[in-house]
Amino acid sequence: EWKRDQFPLAPVGSPLVPEQPPPGNKQCLLLDPSDSVVDPMSEIEFRRERVHKAERWVPHGLTDRGRTTIRVCGLARPPLLTLYADHVVHVVRPRLQPFLAALEGEPRGRFQAWETAKRGLLARERPFRALAHDAMNALVPKELRDRYGLELARPML
């Protein structure tokens, strides 16, 4: 419904005529989720925002292609923002809870709880992996992860 027939290209050279294939130097400004070369997480990130005391997770484009993808595909429309927030509340936070509870415990238990949370949220088959990663990054700040020697690598495509 959102994208329809939109296919924005980076401005290079002369405009295309309808039905004319783009020359090799035209770059599409939409992310292709099937392109194994492109890392969508280097183009779009989710940031936590507060709106009327409620937490929202909003996609932000880091590149022209990321910003265009968000706009054209409507990735920041209200129903999706609600879906993102619900995912963090009902999936990410509960999976992080055992880790947060283990912070005061022994190092091995803390590490195991962190690894379990990562596996449960960032596994290839999990939905919203990029959102889960960015939420984990915000909810367990780098300083805390560094203090305990915990890694948060971006999920593999």
Side-chain angles (χ1 to χ4, degrees), residues 30-33 35-47 57-63 65-67 69-70 75 118 121-124 126-138 145 152-157:
L30 294 178
L31 288 169
D32 178 356
D35 186 346
S36 62
V37 176
V38 175
D39 175 12
M41 291 182 68
S42 66
E43 313 251 4
I44 297 173
E45 76 176 2
F46 289 86
R47 297 181 188 157
W57 293 85
V58 181
H60 286 269
L62 303 174
T63 63
R65 189 162 50 173
R67 288 184 287 277
T69 299
I70 290 167
L75 299 181
K118 285 191 333 185
L121 292 168
L122 305 179
R124 183 176 299 277
R126 297 299 300 168
F128 298 117
R129 288 187 316 153
L131 169 62
H133 174 274
D134 293 345
M136 290 177 76
N137 191 44
R145 294 191 314 266
L152 181 60
R154 292 190 339 201
M156 300 297 291
L157 299 175

Side-chain angles (χ1 to χ4, degrees), residues 98-116 150:
F99 163 73
L100 296 172
L103 280 177
E104 301 305 319
E106 64 173 272
R108 180 179 165 102
R110 183 173 44 240
F111 178 78
Q112 287 176 336
W114 177 249
E115 291 300 310
T116 299
L150 305 170

